Amino acid sequence: MASPYDAVQEYNFVEKLSNEFICPVTLSLLREPHQTLCCGNHLLQDAVTELQQHGESACPLCKQTLRTMPDMFFKRKVNELKVHCLNKSLGCEWVGELGSLDKHLSLNSMKGECQFTTVDCPHSCGDEFQRHQLDEHTMNDCPNRPFTCQYCGHEATYVEVTNEHWPVCERYPVECSNNSLGCQWAGERGVLDQHLSRDLEEGECKFVTVACPYACGDGFQRCQLEGHKVNDCPNRAFTCNYCSYEATYNEVTSEHWPICKKFILQCPNKCGEDAIERQHLRKHLHETCPQQVIKCEFRHAGCRFKGRRRH
């Protein structure tokens, strides 16, 4: 039968261990002692079971018929032995009864006491830590730690909130997608679409390309639109500055001005009159223009003279 000395050497006893606490068969600690009824010695329960499995009926110590019974009193004595924590070399200063050692060393992150026991993260992230490092991990580093979105209050794990929720969170702070063009707007994702809207009434971003509201077919950044509407659009509202006729700029300048009676013209004879209304031009040419070529008033008598009125 093997002698598992490590079972005794596994513990760090405060005082030298008496042989009475060592099983004479297995040479291991009597954690589950059975007392022989034949000679009163103590054997480990596992040793008794193994002897019986091998058909041994005689006591290995006194050779009489082997009969045993659990010894709870002796078990209490074993459990009252003083031991150091198994993690003493790592810095644990705990000293207590052997019976309390398992609780002290428990891998359960909530029940165990030893700060140097390696335990699993309670959030099942797969990492292990000494217990004294666990709070820092579970509070600040664990990807599976409970986490609340600071923008909308959504609750999930840290990795779920930051990787899955934040990219769609309506209240997550974002910059305008036209910030590279100069837009300095920043706000919640939920109102970004409204900010970027091409609708002339709803949209705000000055760098979004919008269609001219006068349907000229051109598009402009919103910041350029006002100048286009006021000064450049051929379909903008326009009033003839000679007669107050109203239409589009294109209609007034291309269709109306060529026939507007009050449109200002220069005398085609370059007589010096340069502010003649179209409706008065004919009279000017026929009656007063000094450069107008006229026939002699006696032409009916046969005079063929033609010359400028000033002569």
Side-chain angles (χ1 to χ4, degrees), residues 54-73:
H54 285 79
E56 296 288 344
S57 59
C59 172
L61 301 176
C62 69
K63 305 305 181 181
Q64 298 183 47
T65 301
L66 179 63
R67 295 172 58 198
T68 65
M69 62 179 297
D71 192 336
M72 301 307 295
F73 174 77

Side-chain angles (χ1 to χ4, degrees), residues 61-108:
L61 301 176
C62 69
K63 305 305 181 181
Q64 298 183 47
T65 301
L66 179 63
R67 295 172 58 198
T68 65
M69 62 179 297
D71 192 336
M72 301 307 295
F73 174 77
F74 193 79
K75 181 177 181 178
R76 283 194 295 271
K77 288 182 63 176
V78 174
N79 284 334
E80 290 171 356
L81 293 171
K82 298 294 184 180
V83 293
H84 294 284
C85 176
L86 300 185
N87 293 320
K88 179 182 179 182
S89 61
L90 299 177
C92 184
E93 298 179 352
W94 181 88
V95 175
E97 294 182 351
L98 178 62
S100 301
L101 182 61
D102 287 345
K103 178 182 178 181
H104 172 72
L105 292 172
S106 174
L107 297 180
N108 186 300

Side-chain angles (χ1 to χ4, degrees), residues 2-15:
S3 299
Y5 288 99
D6 289 344
V8 173
Q9 295 174 348
E10 173 184 352
Y11 303 101
N12 188 353
F13 292 97
V14 174
E15 298 180 355

Side-chain angles (χ1 to χ4, degrees), residues 39-305:
C39 58
N41 288 298
H42 288 93
L43 302 177
L44 190 65
Q45 178 180 336
D46 289 344
V48 174
T49 300
E50 190 171 348
L51 288 170
Q52 293 172 343
Q53 289 176 345
H54 285 79
E56 296 288 344
S57 59
C59 172
L61 301 176
C62 69
K63 305 305 181 181
Q64 298 183 47
T65 301
L66 179 63
R67 295 172 58 198
T68 65
M69 62 179 297
D71 192 336
M72 301 307 295
F73 174 77
F74 193 79
K75 181 177 181 178
R76 283 194 295 271
K77 288 182 63 176
V78 174
N79 284 334
E80 290 171 356
L81 293 171
K82 298 294 184 180
V83 293
H84 294 284
C85 176
L86 300 185
N87 293 320
K88 179 182 179 182
S89 61
L90 299 177
C92 184
E93 298 179 352
W94 181 88
V95 175
E97 294 182 351
L98 178 62
S100 301
L101 182 61
D102 287 345
K103 178 182 178 181
H104 172 72
L105 292 172
S106 174
L107 297 180
N108 186 300
S109 59
M110 305 306 294
K111 294 181 179 180
E113 300 170 355
C114 181
Q115 297 302 307
F116 297 89
T117 295
T118 299
V119 294
D120 294 328
C121 171
H123 301 315
S124 303
C125 71
D127 287 334
E128 297 179 340
F129 301 87
Q130 289 183 346
R131 185 174 278 109
H132 68 88
Q133 302 169 323
L134 195 59
D135 283 349
E136 175 67 21
H137 170 74
T138 56
M139 293 176 62
N140 300 316
D141 301 324
C142 180
N144 291 345
R145 67 188 185 272
F147 192 76
T148 301
C149 173
Q150 64 266 48
Y151 308 110
C152 72
H154 175 76
E155 297 180 350
T157 66
Y158 176 84
V159 72
E160 288 172 338
V161 169
T162 56
N163 290 352
E164 300 174 18
H165 171 68
W166 276 357
V168 298
C169 176
E170 290 291 296
R171 301 188 66 178
Y172 190 86
V174 293
E175 294 180 341
C176 177
S177 52
N178 291 322
N179 62 347
S180 61
L181 299 177
C183 184
Q184 298 181 355
W185 181 91
E188 296 179 355
R189 179 181 282 114
V191 296
L192 178 61
D193 287 346
Q194 178 179 339
H195 170 74
L196 292 172
S197 174
R198 297 178 186 275
D199 186 281
L200 295 179
E201 299 297 328
E202 293 184 0
E204 301 171 354
C205 181
K206 300 298 184 183
F207 298 90
V208 167
T209 299
V210 294
C212 173
Y214 301 141
C216 70
D218 288 333
F220 300 87
Q221 289 182 343
R222 187 176 273 112
C223 59
Q224 302 169 327
L225 187 61
E226 194 62 28
H228 169 75
K229 288 166 53 181
V230 173
N231 301 314
D232 301 323
C233 181
N235 290 346
R236 68 187 185 273
F238 192 75
T239 300
C240 175
N241 44 332
Y242 305 110
C243 71
S244 300
Y245 173 78
E246 296 180 351
T248 67
Y249 176 85
N250 192 52
E251 290 171 338
V252 170
T253 57
S254 300
E255 300 175 15
H256 171 69
W257 276 357
I259 60 173
C260 177
K261 292 182 179 182
K262 292 189 174 184
F263 191 84
I264 299 300
L265 299 171
Q266 291 182 347
C267 174
N269 294 327
K270 300 181 181 180
C271 71
E273 293 288 341
D274 57 3
I276 307 170
E277 291 184 359
R278 178 180 277 114
Q279 62 185 350
H280 297 147
L281 180 62
R282 187 178 183 85
K283 181 179 180 181
H284 167 74
L285 292 174
H286 281 266
E287 297 182 6
T288 61
C289 178
Q291 296 295 335
Q292 178 69 17
V293 175
I294 59 174
K295 295 178 181 179
C296 177
E297 60 182 310
F298 299 110
R299 61 185 178 278
H300 62 279
C303 181
R304 297 181 177 179
F305 174 81

